C-alpha cells in the first residue's frame, strides 16, 4: 500500500525560477494494485516517483508506505521497499559487475527474509530466477552486464527491482527505449512479476495502448495534479480512442494530434 497525502514538490523555491512540479497531490494505492500513469511531458510523473523514492524532498505532504510515514527516510533506506526501473537500460544495473553480482547486490534489499541466507543456496535461487526470464542469462552469470543487449539489461533491471518483492514497484517508461519486440518481452515479464508476486506497481507510459491495456487503474497527471483517475469497469472498458479523447480534453488544443499519442 502506498499513500501520498497532500504532496507538493517545489523546484528552486524562493527564486524567480520557482516551479511547482507537484501540487497538493493525494492518492492511495492499495496493496496489489497496478496503476498506469500517463500525462504530457513535464506533468510531474518522474518527480512523483522521485518523491516516493526519496530522491527529492517534498515541500509539503507525506509519503506513507505500508502504513508508515516514510517522508523523512533517506533514499537509500527507502530503496529497501521501493523498487524502481527507469527508461535507460543502463540505469538499473552496474555495467562493470557480473550478472550474478548485480543480482546478489539487489538481493540485499527488500524482503530478505524470503531469501536463503547461505551463499550457495542464494546463488542457486538467483540462477533459477534468471532462467525464468527466458533469455539464457542463467548461462551468463559470470559475464559483465555491459555485454548484455539493451533488452537483456532491462529484463535484468526489472528482475532486480521486483524479485525482492518491494512494497511498491515504480516503472518509469521502462519499455520506451527498447525495440518493439524487446518492449513486448519486458512488458510480459512485468505482468508476470507484478501479478505473480502480487506487487503494488505504478507504471508511467507514453504508449496509450499499453496505458489502456495494462493495470487495474489509470491515472492521468497534468501540471502536477491528478486530472483523471479510472479503475474497475471504467478502466477495463477503456479503449485507446477513449483514452486519447480524455487526453485531449485535459490537454486542450495546444497538444495532441492522434498520431502523436498513438505513435
Ligand atoms: N531538478 C529539477 N529542477 C528544476 N525543475 C525540474 C527538475 N526536475 C523536474 N523539473 C520540472 O518539473 C516539472 C515536472 O517534470 P517531470 O520530469 O516530473 O515530468 P514528467 O511528467 O516525468 O515528464 P516526461 O514525460 O517528459 O518524463 C517539469 O516542469 C520539469 O521541468
Ligand atoms: Mg518523466
Amino acid at each position: 500500500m502506498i499513500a501520498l497525502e497532500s504532496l507538493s514538490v517545489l523546484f528552486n523555491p524562493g527564486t524567480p525560477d520557482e516551479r511547482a512540479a507537484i501540487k497538493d497531490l493525494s492518492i492511495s494505492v492499495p496493496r496489489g494494485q497496478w496503476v498506469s500513469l500517463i500525462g504530457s511531458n513535464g506533468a510531474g510523473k518522474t518527480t512523483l516517483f522521485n518523491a516516493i523514492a526519496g530522491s527529492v524532498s517534498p515541500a509539503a505532504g507525506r509519503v506513507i508506505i505500508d502504513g508508515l510515514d516514510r517522508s523523512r527516510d533517506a533514499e537509500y533506506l527507502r530503496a529497501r521497499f521501493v523498487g524502481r526501473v527507469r527508461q535507460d537500460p543502463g540505469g538499473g544495473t552496474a555495467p562493470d559487475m557480473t550478472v550474478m553480482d548485480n543480482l546478489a547486490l539487489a538481493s540485499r534489499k527488500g524482503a530478505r527474509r524470503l531469501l536463503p541466507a547461505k551463499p550457495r543456496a542464494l546463488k542457486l535461487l538467483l540462477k533459477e530466477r534468471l532462467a525464468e526470464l527466458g533469455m539464457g542469462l542463467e548461462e551468463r552469470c559470470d559475464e559483465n552486464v555491459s555485454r548484455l543487449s539493451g533488452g537483456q539489461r532491462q529484463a535484468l533491471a526489472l528482475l532486480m527491482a521486483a524479485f525482492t518483492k518491494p512494497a511498491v514497484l515504480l516503472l518509469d517508461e521502462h519499455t520506451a527505449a527498447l525495440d518493439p519486440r524487446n518492449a513486448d518481452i519486458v512488458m510480459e515479464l512485468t505482468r508476470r512479476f507484478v501479478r505473480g508476486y502480487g506487487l503494488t506497481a505504478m507504471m508511467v507510459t507514453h504508449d496509450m495502448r499499453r496505458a489502456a491495456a495494462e493495470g487495474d487503474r489509470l491515472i492521468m497527471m497534468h501540471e502536477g495534479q491528478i486530472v483523471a483517475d479510472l479503475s474497475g469497469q471504467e478502466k477495463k472498458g477503456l479503449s485507446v480512442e477513449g483514452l486519447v479523447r480524455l487526453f485531449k480534453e485535459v490537454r486542450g488544443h495546444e497538444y495532441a494530434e492522434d498520431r502523436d499519442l498513438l505513435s
Side-chain angles (χ1 to χ4, degrees):
M1 183 284 281
I2 173 151
L4 307 177
E5 296 179 354
S6 307
L7 198 73
S8 295
V9 175
L10 275 184
F11 287 113
N12 310 314
T15 74
D17 293 333
E18 180 171 301
R19 180 186 292 266
I22 304 289
K23 300 173 191 162
D24 195 23
L25 183 150
S26 296
I27 180 184
S28 177
V29 182
R31 188 184 288 254
Q33 188 173 67
W34 178 354
V35 177
S36 290
L37 184 57
I38 61 171
S40 41
N41 296 118
K45 305 176 298 295
T46 297
T47 303
L48 191 75
F49 281 7
N50 283 335
I52 294 170
S55 35
V56 304
S57 306
R62 302 201 303 165
V63 176
I64 314 284
I65 302 176
D66 280 350
L68 295 175
D69 183 355
R70 297 296 187 179
S71 313
R72 292 183 194 290
D73 287 359
E75 185 174 17
Y76 80 94
L77 287 174
R78 288 192 225 184
R80 291 193 196 138
F81 35 82
V82 178
R84 195 166 185 186
V85 186
R86 297 162 208 255
Q87 184 171 341
D88 169 20
T93 48
D96 298 327
M97 283 168 54
T98 65
V99 170
M100 185 50 79
D101 286 347
N102 265 275
L103 263 182
L105 202 62
S107 74
R108 301 207 191 111
K109 300 191 310 185
R112 274 177 293 181
R113 66 187 185 283
L114 303 177
L115 297 172
K118 291 214 170 83
R120 258 176 75 96
L122 178 64
K123 204 169 168 179
L124 266 177
L125 180 123
L126 295 180
K127 240 180 147 168
E128 266 173 39
R129 290 289 105 85
L130 275 172
E132 285 163 12
L133 294 179
M135 294 178 156
L137 292 184
E138 68 282 8
E139 304 299 332
R140 303 179 66 182
C141 288
D142 298 324
E143 273 183 53
N144 275 3
V145 164
S146 57
R147 293 179 54 172
L148 304 183
S149 72
Q152 289 166 337
R153 279 182 81 162
Q154 199 65 334
L156 180 64
L158 177 64
L159 176 65
M160 287 167 61
F163 87 102
T164 53
K165 303 191 173 110
V168 59
L169 178 65
L170 303 176
L171 307 166
D172 197 348
E173 300 187 54
H174 72 308
T175 62
L178 304 176
D179 62 80
R181 194 181 137 266
N182 276 307
D184 284 346
I185 291 172
V186 169
M187 188 53 68
E188 171 54 30
L189 289 170
T190 304
R191 263 178 235 124
R192 229 200 286 157
F193 287 132
V194 172
R195 298 311 191 194
Y197 294 155
L199 300 179
T200 309
M202 299 176 81
M203 178 179 82
V204 170
T205 179
H206 281 282
D207 181 331
M208 294 299 122
R209 279 187 203 88
R210 293 217 197 278
E214 310 292 347
D216 313 302
R217 179 173 178 186
L218 181 117
I219 286 178
M220 187 185 293
M221 283 182 70
H222 187 61
E223 295 180 349
Q225 293 177 313
I226 292 175
V227 291
D229 184 352
L230 309 177
S231 53
Q233 287 308 319
E234 261 190 319
K235 166 71 174 74
K236 280 203 186 87
L238 199 60
S239 64
V240 175
E241 293 71 27
L243 194 47
V244 170
R245 216 177 306 123
L246 187 65
F247 218 99
K248 279 186 170 177
E249 275 169 31
V250 167
R251 304 204 309 180
H253 63 278
E254 54 187 302
Y255 311 91
E257 288 287 309
D258 282 23
R259 61 188 151 77
D260 294 336
L261 292 169
L262 293 167
S263 64

